Amino acid sequence: MFSTPAQVLRQREGALAETPFALLLHALSVEERTCTLELKVRQREKRITFEDGAPVASSSNLLHETLGKFLVDKGKLSETDYQKTLAESVSTEVPLGGLVVQKGLISPFDLYKQMQANMAMTLLDCFRWTDARYRLIADIEPPDTSVRMNTAQLILTGITNVMPFDEVATHFTFTDDRRFAQVPDIEGPKLSAKDARLFQALRFRPTFPELMQRSGMDTDSTLRRLYAFCLLGLADFVEEVDARRPASAGPVAVPFMPPGPALTPLPGTLETVEARPTGIPFSDEDEAVKNELLSVFLSHRSQDPFDLLGVPENVQPVALRKAFLALADKFSPLRFHSADLKEKAEGLLTAYARAYGALTEVEQAALWRKRRQAAREKKVNTGRPSTAEQFRIRTDLLDASTQFDEAMKRLKAENFAGAFEYFEYACDIDPKPLYRAHRAWARYLMKPESHGKLALQELQDVLKQEPGCEEGWFFLGEVSRGEGQWAQAEDAYRKAFKINPKNRQYVDLVQETMKRVKR
């Protein structure tokens, strides 16, 4: 059905139009590759770092995807605090995330969750970069942070919610008489109620039309989920599933998965619900301990063995051993119950053990001392770029709101082609419903006689995603009226008025279109 992971990764570069981002993610995960994936399309760029097949870091030249702007957008940081912290981060070379924790602006636990969500947003956005070029780079610099994503969850969410439907239909083709089935004994991502309902329908080995009927979903929703399940190896054509089973095997036992309440799992989170043993003093409920664990976990990758264990360069064996044992006990995995916290404690314990092992070996300890001395000399001898220069680089980040503001100026001046161009830039950077609605409106105003149907389709797509977009309903009403679809125009104006009843213009528009409908 799909190329094997080894075949996908045989080429070091290519186009996402031919090798979709989801297929690349899956191949890197299965092959457990450690590398950097570089994506470029027009003026946009992203770099994603993988360790053993899992995304662990990402960067882009899109302003809204930087951690600071993301925290502002999520209401976790004020714009004033962001600007002050950013200036301090530039001048001191301390990461912004570390500074906001130091200043008490956000807890380490919350910061980790927001970093995880920020990275998920950055990676999910790649599913719409269907015209991008990609390149795999073998040499990587280990990331400073310790965020790690769940690739399977990322693929399911990206295909289901972000990847353009045309791309899904292009890369996932079959005839209506082909039957699909669950692949037994494959561990997959967490499923929402909707996903689980479709997955359970695969027990009956249906054709695609039968799968839609059993799941109660439309073509779009069914095809997206089936594509994701097949790519992840959870489903396949019936004949392929049967060919994998031994000839003597009996019927496939399929575990029952109750749908339960609707879920929107975040890629990268691993939460399990299990019976909690009694009599053990777990630290999960202690906010101070939990935040300290996350604070240390977030920064441990950027520290050398001396800093990690908190010992001086001339540390003696007894003191080194005491430092290691104290830290190993303080964040012992046995002190935590939840899988998420236990996993982080285990990661720290491994890092402490490696650091201790390095410093107990004379040659390794001497090497680390030389590295520290070289770093100190480099810092003294190499002039750091001025604050102004570093801020200049920051302002080169692509900012969707700046493009949108310029587009609005051109729209007001009735420069519709120029407005469309800048709305297009804004949508390229950040495809918010508001930006997409204005892009459709500018497209219509450029050539009302030929762009009407396309603008209507674009506006309907926007409103399907964001029914609360007032401007979208107003533009839909205006374009519908221009196309002579008066009933649709009346309905759109009514919905715009419902969202903003203070705008009396909608009342006049509704009355006008009602008269047209009655004629």
Side-chain angles (χ1 to χ4, degrees):
M1 185 178 295
F2 303 108
S3 299
T4 65
Q7 291 172 335
V8 171
L9 300 180
R10 191 171 296 162
Q11 291 185 330
R12 310 299 296 180
E13 55 185 88
L16 294 189
E18 299 171 359
T19 306
F21 182 64
L23 197 61
L24 271 177
L25 278 182
H26 183 253
L28 290 168
S29 175
V30 172
E31 293 289 305
E32 298 183 345
R33 293 292 182 88
T34 296
C35 63
T36 295
L37 174 62
E38 181 183 78
L39 301 176
K40 291 185 177 182
V41 53
R42 291 185 288 279
Q43 76 271 39
R44 294 169 287 159
E45 298 181 14
K46 293 195 185 190
R47 291 169 69 92
I48 306 163
T49 301
F50 292 80
E51 277 189 356
D52 301 325
V56 294
S58 63
S59 61
S60 77
N61 64 343
L62 308 183
L63 182 62
H64 71 281
E65 290 185 350
T66 60
L67 178 61
K69 275 296 184 182
F70 181 82
L71 292 175
V72 172
D73 290 342
K74 296 300 178 182
K76 299 293 182 178
L77 197 65
S78 69
E79 182 65 31
T80 301
D81 286 336
Y82 162 65
Q83 294 295 341
K84 289 180 179 178
T85 309
L86 178 62
E88 186 174 341
S89 175
V90 170
S91 62
T92 63
E93 295 186 324
V94 176
L96 184 139
L99 284 176
V100 294
V101 170
Q102 288 178 19
K103 294 176 177 294
L105 299 173
I106 189 172
S107 72
F109 185 80
D110 199 10
L111 175 64
Y112 181 81
K113 291 298 183 185
Q114 294 304 319
M115 289 176 67
Q116 201 170 48
N118 182 26
M119 187 171 167
M121 179 191 75
T122 302
L123 296 180
L124 288 172
D125 182 55
C126 297
F127 282 86
R128 69 181 182 89
W129 285 31
T130 55
D131 50 351
R133 299 285 304 177
Y134 73 85
R135 182 165 67 105
L136 293 170
I137 307 169
D139 297 329
I140 68 167
E141 290 187 14
D144 291 340
T145 58
S146 304
V147 178
R148 192 177 184 87
M149 307 304 293
N150 183 323
T151 304
Q153 201 76 61
L154 192 67
I155 290 172
L156 176 60
T157 305
I159 292 176
T160 303
N161 300 320
V162 183
M163 189 174 179
F165 179 74
D166 289 347
E167 291 297 313
V168 175
T170 297
H171 294 286
F172 187 48
T173 59
F174 50 85
T175 56
D176 282 349
D177 61 338
R178 299 297 296 270
R179 293 188 173 274
F180 295 87
Q182 293 179 350
V183 176
D185 304 322
I186 299 294
E187 183 178 353
K190 293 193 303 183
L191 300 180
S192 67
K194 197 171 184 179
D195 298 334
R197 186 165 70 247
L198 186 138
F199 186 71
Q200 286 306 306
L202 289 169
R203 291 183 304 170
F204 300 95
R205 302 188 159 206
T207 62
F208 185 77
E210 291 171 349
L211 185 59
M212 283 198 297
Q213 185 177 10
R214 285 187 176 277
S215 65
M217 299 181 195
D218 58 19
T219 302
D220 184 304
S221 298
T222 305
L223 190 65
R224 287 177 180 277
R225 286 164 175 78
L226 184 58
Y227 177 36
F229 290 157
C230 289
L231 180 57
L232 292 171
L234 302 174
D236 206 335
F237 295 128
V238 165
E239 55 269 25
E240 296 294 332
V241 174
D242 290 342
R244 300 175 197 177
R245 296 170 53 207
S248 59
V252 178
V254 181
F256 174 69
M257 297 172 61
L263 300 172
T264 52
L266 174 67
T269 58
L270 298 174
E271 306 216 5
T272 57
V273 179
E274 55 187 76
R276 183 187 180 112
T278 59
I280 302 177
F282 292 117
S283 301
D284 298 53
E285 306 305 324
D286 189 324
E287 288 296 320
V289 173
K290 189 166 65 172
N291 278 317
E292 189 175 5
L293 169 68
L294 266 296
S295 179
V296 175
F297 182 77
L298 281 169
S299 61
H300 82 275
R301 296 184 62 126
S302 63
Q303 297 177 313
D304 66 22
F306 292 105
D307 289 334
L308 189 58
L309 296 178
V311 296
E313 292 181 21
N314 62 349
V315 63
Q316 298 303 305
V318 174
L320 176 63
R321 183 171 180 272
K322 286 184 177 179
F324 166 66
L325 292 176
L327 288 170
D329 177 66
K330 183 176 183 180
F331 298 118
S332 169
L334 298 177
R335 293 184 179 275
F336 301 94
H337 176 262
S338 73
D340 195 32
L341 295 179
K342 189 186 292 288
E343 180 186 35
K344 290 171 177 55
E346 289 172 350
L348 280 180
L349 182 58
T350 301
Y352 291 145
R354 287 174 178 167
Y356 177 69
L359 297 185
T360 53
E361 294 182 13
V362 177
E363 292 182 357
Q364 283 288 319
L367 179 61
W368 278 109
R369 291 189 186 96
K370 288 181 180 179
R371 288 177 178 174
R372 287 166 67 90
Q373 180 61 31
R376 286 192 290 266
E377 291 174 356
K378 183 178 180 180
K379 192 170 184 178
V380 171
N381 297 330
T382 304
R384 210 171 56 227
S386 67
T387 301
E389 173 64 11
Q390 295 187 52
F391 267 110
R392 188 194 67 76
I393 294 172
R394 291 268 181 183
T395 58
D396 283 344
L397 292 169
L398 301 178
D399 181 13
S401 62
T402 301
Q403 312 295 332
F404 180 75
D405 290 343
E406 178 62 29
M408 291 297 287
K409 291 178 183 177
R410 295 179 179 223
L411 187 65
K412 187 176 181 180
E414 297 187 359
N415 178 2
F416 302 134
F420 175 78
E421 180 183 12
Y422 276 84
F423 284 136
E424 185 90 286
Y425 290 156
C427 291
D428 262 356
I429 298 167
D430 185 9
K432 288 182 178 179
L434 179 65
Y435 299 166
R436 291 167 55 206
H438 278 84
R439 180 181 62 180
W441 177 232
R443 186 194 301 277
Y444 174 73
L445 292 176
M446 277 195 301
K447 291 185 178 180
E449 66 283 355
S450 57
H451 288 172
K453 290 183 179 179
L454 178 56
L456 284 176
Q457 183 60 55
E458 288 179 335
L459 288 168
Q460 287 165 350
D461 290 343
V462 168
L463 294 167
K464 182 179 178 181
Q465 178 189 349
E466 182 51 71
C469 181
E470 177 192 344
E471 293 86 348
W473 288 114
F474 171 67
F475 296 151
L476 181 63
E478 293 290 277
V479 178
S480 297
R481 186 168 66 166
E483 292 292 295
Q485 299 183 28
W486 296 100
Q488 181 171 280
E490 179 191 345
D491 179 66
Y493 291 138
R494 287 183 182 277
K495 287 177 178 174
F497 177 71
K498 187 176 181 180
I499 295 171
N500 182 14
K502 292 182 180 180
N503 191 336
R504 306 306 297 178
Q505 176 191 11
Y506 298 142
V507 177
D508 297 335
L509 290 170
V510 168
Q511 292 175 346
E512 180 183 340
T513 51
M514 284 177 64
K515 293 177 182 177
R516 290 279 187 169
V517 171
K518 291 178 180 178
R519 289 180 183 176

